[in-house]
Amino acid sequence: MRNKFLSLGLIVLSISSVSAYAEVITKETIPAPVLDQFYKKHPNALDVIAEKKTHFKQGLIQISYKEEKDKEVFIELYRTNGKIFVSADDVTASNVMPAVALDNLKAAFNKYSIKKTILVPNPNGVGEDYDLIVNVDGVDWSVVIDYKGNIIQKSHE
């Protein structure tokens, strides 16, 4: 009986670790404190896109936007209470991930291409997460890799 509970517990943990993914949310479903703080800080923001994300074991809202006349996309992550968590950077054009991360991606997906890489620094300590969009056989996956190169989340987009 104990083995059944242990097996069930491991299955639940496995499913929950894989099912944490980025979920695009509408402006209407962004928590009001987040939206208020964002627009106080960026009243002229354009092309605003919000997603639910998990980094460093925290549920966050990631907001991507452009400033009024800029073409550059900026990324900020907020706690659901409206407090800014951290600013992130799109590092798709550079190879800043640890080499072991690429080995782990190849082991997990065999043939893949990285479409997007966001560097999310840890505001509370050492390390960073790499938030990737990885294409595998025409299917986009949301993948989070820690600073050691380990895949800590992966799911279909």
Side-chain angles (χ1 to χ4, degrees):
M1 185 68 145
R2 186 172 68 167
N3 287 340
K4 287 182 183 179
F5 284 121
L6 181 60
S7 296
L8 181 62
L10 290 174
I11 290 169
V12 169
L13 285 174
S14 297
I15 290 171
S16 67
S17 69
V18 171
S19 64
Y21 63 96
E23 174 188 340
V24 176
I25 57 177
T26 64
K27 196 173 182 178
E28 294 77 25
T29 58
I30 298 173
V34 172
L35 207 53
D36 291 345
Q37 288 302 314
F38 175 75
Y39 277 116
K40 280 181 187 174
K41 192 172 176 184
H42 307 288
N44 298 321
L46 301 171
D47 301 332
V48 176
I49 298 171
E51 299 176 76
K52 288 184 180 180
K53 296 281 189 161
T54 302
H55 288 288
F56 310 106
K57 299 180 183 176
Q58 295 187 46
L60 303 167
I61 305 295
Q62 177 178 298
I63 300 180
S64 303
Y65 64 96
K66 293 180 183 179
E67 288 293 340
E68 192 170 346
K69 295 180 182 178
D70 292 336
K71 293 183 180 186
E72 182 180 359
V73 175
F74 299 96
I75 303 163
E76 293 181 343
L77 288 102
Y78 289 83
R79 293 182 174 94
T80 55
N81 66 3
K83 304 264 187 215
I84 189 157
F85 183 71
V86 70
S87 294
D89 294 311
D90 186 334
V91 294
T92 305
S94 60
N95 185 10
V96 296
M97 287 190 301
V100 69
L102 299 175
D103 294 339
N104 290 336
L105 282 170
K106 186 168 184 153
F109 297 111
N110 195 18
K111 293 179 90 178
Y112 68 91
S113 63
I114 298 173
K115 293 173 67 175
K116 189 172 190 178
T117 305
I118 305 294
L119 174 65
V120 181
N122 185 348
N124 301 317
V126 177
E128 59 273 327
D129 280 352
Y130 300 92
D131 192 341
L132 310 173
I133 302 297
V134 177
N135 187 277
V136 180
D137 297 326
V139 177
D140 286 344
W141 285 75
S142 177
V143 178
V144 177
I145 296 177
D146 68 12
Y147 70 100
K148 294 178 183 176
N150 300 314
I151 296 174
I152 56 175
Q153 295 173 23
K154 66 179 179 177
S155 64
H156 294 286
E157 275 287 290

